[in-house]
Amino acid sequence: MPRELVILSRTAPELAVFVGAGADIAPDLRVRTLDGGAVTEVVDRRGMAVLSVQVPELVENPAEVARLAPWSSLSAPVWWTDAWAPWGEQGDVGVAVARAWASAGGAEIRVEDGS
C-alpha cells in the first residue's frame, strides 16, 4: 500500500509547476500519463513510479472540505488533488516532489505518514 497524499490549492494545479518541482528534486525524473490522462506519474530512470497524481477536482462545498480535510486552513472552493507515493527511498523522492509542487503553488499538503 502506498502513502497517500492530499494537496489542497486555491488555483488549479499546473502541470508545468509539477514538472519543474520534479526536475529540481531529481533531474533524471520523467513524467508519463496513465488511463487517458487521469493519472500523471513521476518516474525514475528505470520507469519506476515515485509519485502518482490524480487529476485535481474542484470542491465547492465548505462542509466537505472541513469534513475531509480538518487539518487544512483553506475553505471551499479548493482544488483537491490526491496523490500516492511508495514507501521507502523511492517514495521519499515522490513526497519531496509533491511538497515542492505544493510549495511552488501556495498549496497545503498532507502526507499519510503524519507530516
Side-chain angles (χ1 to χ4, degrees), residues 25 33 48 50 62 86 89:
I25 300 299
T33 59
M48 302 296 293
V50 299
E89 286 182 39

Side-chain angles (χ1 to χ4, degrees), residues 53-97:
V53 182
Q54 190 171 355
V55 172
E57 281 188 56
L58 181 63
V59 179
E60 298 183 86
N61 184 332
E64 281 299 287
V65 174
R67 182 178 71 82
L68 297 171
W71 48 268
S72 176
S73 65
L74 299 177
S75 61
V78 296
W79 286 91
W80 185 289
T81 305
D82 285 314
W84 304 270
W87 292 97
E89 286 182 39
Q90 186 178 340
D92 292 343
V93 172
V95 170
V97 170

Side-chain angles (χ1 to χ4, degrees), residues 26-30 32 42-50 90:
D28 64 333
L29 296 176
R30 302 186 323 263
R32 68 180 176 206
V42 177
V43 298
D44 64 17
R45 65 187 178 328
R46 299 169 310 197
M48 302 296 293
V50 299
Q90 186 178 340

Side-chain angles (χ1 to χ4, degrees), residues 6-7 17 40 47 55 78 88 93 97-98 113:
V6 174
I7 302 168
V17 174
T40 299
V55 172
V78 296
V93 172
V97 170
D113 60 9

